[in-house]
């Protein structure tokens, strides 16, 4: 299993007890709950919302005991990943709508496939919830899932519904996929080699900045950097087609930035036994975009440590092979260059950055 992606709503080690009553207060106009509608009733609604998604590869869809997906000709195998979001851990009802949660969990899963050079072929969705959850919330969640899946052209092929104790809402998605067209082999974390360049597919630090703003009580903003940060925190949508593109042009290692540049970069560095030297001006350049929202120092911190970005971080043989739209962030160097004893990691200005001090970790601090 891949390492767990990081929490959205609650910071690592947060002792905050977050409110759990908000969803109940937003009960739908018709007042119906999951418990009152029954499993079949809920599933009927859910699958009606999902009916418009592409289904070319679906030989047997929802409605039977299992779905049957067609395998593309010559496919190397089935890529799989899963991610779960828990209310008051990974989102807060007063910060994120059910639709936001739906979009976010789809992105989390599809970004993991993209980071291997893959694309989604089907999603399985599980909702485990307090029977008092308004049916409307489940409907909105499904609309978000449909939006995220629709943008990526991936069908929802099945799911499960189960009840839980009062206040509990948990959404889990399992994504199935395959390597993108023209991608001969999955891109692993272990393939980076000294002399290569490190690059990222887009901006960094937006989601973490959005979280900081929400934590400060800023739920909406007119200032463009702050607005984009809030938007990306709630519903991260990145160009996941960049995964297969990067793989085709020779990306040697890749990961999606789910736990922060330093933490995820450290995973590549350790798996590849190399050191990743960040270019200070590249980090400053990314931070400059966020500075109007949170100030320069916090922007710098979020570029290095902010999670849930879901842009792709990859190494390439040289600058010429870095795809258009990507930003070169640094160089891959031999561990021996660091003097050896300090080992693989992410380096800036001659110092190794502490992965536990930057990004997020479910079970850390
Ligand atoms: Mg990931």
């Amino acid at each position: 299993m891949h390492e767990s992606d990081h929490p959205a709503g609650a910071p690592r080690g947060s002792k905050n007890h977050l409110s759990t009553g908000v969803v109940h207060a937003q009960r739908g106009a018709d007042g119906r709950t999951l418990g009152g509608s029954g499993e079949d009733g809920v599933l009927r609604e859910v699958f009606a919302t999902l009916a418009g998604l592409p289904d070319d590869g679906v030989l047997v869809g929802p409605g039977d005991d299992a779905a049957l997906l067609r395998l593309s000709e010559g496919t190397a195998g089935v890529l799989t990943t899963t991610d779960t979001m828990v209310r008051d851990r990974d989102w807060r009802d007063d910060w994120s709508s059910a639709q936001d949660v739906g979009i976010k969990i789809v992105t989390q899963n599809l970004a993991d496939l993209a980071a291997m050079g893959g694309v989604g072929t089907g999603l399985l969705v599980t909702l485990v919830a307090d029977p008092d959850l308004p049916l409307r919330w489940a409907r909105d969640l499904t609309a978000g899932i449909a939006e995220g899946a629709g943008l990526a052209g991936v069908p929802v092929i099945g799911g499960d519904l189960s009840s839980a104790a009062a206040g509990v809402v948990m959404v889990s998605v399992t994504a199935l996929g395959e390597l993108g067209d023209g991608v001969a082999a999955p891109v692993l974390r272990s393939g980076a080699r000294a002399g290569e360049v490190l690059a990222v597919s887009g901006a960094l630090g937006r989601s973490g900045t959005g979280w900081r703003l929400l934590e400060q009580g800023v739920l909406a903003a007119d200032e463009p950097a702050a607005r984009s940060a809030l938007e990306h925190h709630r519903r991260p949508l990145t160009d996941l087609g960049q995964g297969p593109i990067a793989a085709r042009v020779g990306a040697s290692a890749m990961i999606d930035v789910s736990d922060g540049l330093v933490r995820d970069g450290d995973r590549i560095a350790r798996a590849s036994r190399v050191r990743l030297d960040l270019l200070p001006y590249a980090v400053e350049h990314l931070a400059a975009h966020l500075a109007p929202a949170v100030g320069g120092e916090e922007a710098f911190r979020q570029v290095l440590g902010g999670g849930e970005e879901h842009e792709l971080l990859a190494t390439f043989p040289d600058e010429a092979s870095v795809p258009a739209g990507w930003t070169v962030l640094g160089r891959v160097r031999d561990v021996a260059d660091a003097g050896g004893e300090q080992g693989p990691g992410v380096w800036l200005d001659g110092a190794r950055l502490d992965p536990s001090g930057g990004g997020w970790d479910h079970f850390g601090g």
Side-chain angles (χ1 to χ4, degrees):
M1 281 282 123
H2 73 301
E3 281 161 280
S4 189
D5 286 337
H6 104 290
R12 170 167 54 108
S14 168
K15 299 293 188 289
N16 298 349
H17 186 76
L18 306 170
S19 70
T20 54
V22 178
V23 156
H24 301 270
Q26 293 171 339
R27 192 164 290 207
D30 59 8
R32 283 196 293 161
T33 61
L34 285 194
S37 308
E39 184 171 355
D40 287 349
V42 175
L43 290 178
R44 233 189 339 269
E45 292 237 13
V46 162
F47 284 113
T49 309
L50 298 169
L53 294 170
D55 59 357
D56 310 351
V58 183
L59 299 174
V60 178
D64 263 277
D65 286 29
L68 182 62
L69 280 181
R70 189 200 322 271
L71 294 177
S72 298
E73 211 170 319
T75 191
V78 179
L79 274 178
T80 63
T81 185
T82 190
D83 255 304
T84 298
M85 290 179 71
V86 178
R87 177 157 83 177
D88 295 339
R89 292 280 165 202
D90 299 303
W91 83 87
R92 283 175 51 158
D93 287 333
D94 50 343
W95 291 356
S96 296
S97 69
Q99 205 160 346
D100 293 338
V101 172
I103 288 177
K104 190 166 199 164
I105 197 161
V106 168
T107 294
Q108 286 179 354
N109 275 275
L110 296 181
D112 281 337
L113 299 182
M116 305 293 287
V119 295
T121 53
L123 301 175
L124 300 161
V125 180
T126 295
L127 174 63
V128 179
D130 177 350
D132 267 350
L133 185 76
L135 180 59
R136 186 203 169 137
W137 196 92
R139 230 185 253 147
D140 289 349
L141 170 75
T142 310
I145 289 172
E147 187 175 339
L151 285 167
V154 183
V156 175
I157 54 172
D160 190 25
L161 189 62
S162 193
S163 64
V168 173
V169 181
M170 193 199 88
V171 187
S172 186
V173 167
T174 295
L176 306 175
E178 59 190 29
L179 297 179
D181 281 343
V183 178
V187 184
L188 308 181
R189 298 174 181 184
S190 54
R193 296 293 172 260
E196 295 182 329
V197 301
L198 178 73
V200 67
S201 61
L204 285 175
R206 287 171 298 171
S207 182
T209 296
W211 174 79
R212 286 293 292 172
L213 292 170
L214 290 166
E215 205 195 20
Q216 292 162 10
V218 179
L219 298 181
D222 289 329
E223 192 284 312
R227 195 173 57 222
S228 134
L230 289 167
E231 174 77 9
H232 198 71
H233 177 78
R234 289 184 171 122
R235 31 181 80 197
L237 287 169
T238 54
D239 181 2
L240 300 175
Q242 292 299 318
I245 287 173
R248 278 196 295 273
V249 300
S252 54
M254 185 150 57
I255 193 168
D256 82 298
V257 180
S258 52
D259 298 329
L261 169 62
V262 173
R263 187 176 290 258
D264 290 314
D266 197 76
R267 289 177 173 140
I268 287 181
R270 282 186 289 116
S272 300
R273 302 280 320 155
V274 294
R275 106 181 216 191
L276 303 176
D277 277 20
L278 299 179
L279 297 163
Y281 68 80
V283 177
E284 279 155 21
H285 178 76
L286 290 173
H289 291 287
L290 291 173
V294 282
E297 203 174 308
E298 179 64 18
F300 197 81
R301 215 178 70 85
Q302 292 297 345
V303 167
L304 292 175
E308 293 199 320
E309 202 57 38
H310 302 301
E311 294 290 353
L312 300 169
L313 181 69
T315 52
F316 296 90
D318 50 38
E319 280 203 39
S321 55
V322 174
W326 289 57
T327 301
V328 172
L329 278 184
R331 313 263 166 232
V332 185
R333 296 175 66 183
D334 259 323
V335 174
D337 290 356
E341 69 280 351
Q342 286 172 297
V346 178
W347 290 66
L348 181 65
D349 287 333
R352 181 173 179 238
L353 300 173
D354 178 3
S356 63
W360 303 99
D361 183 340
H362 276 141
F363 302 107

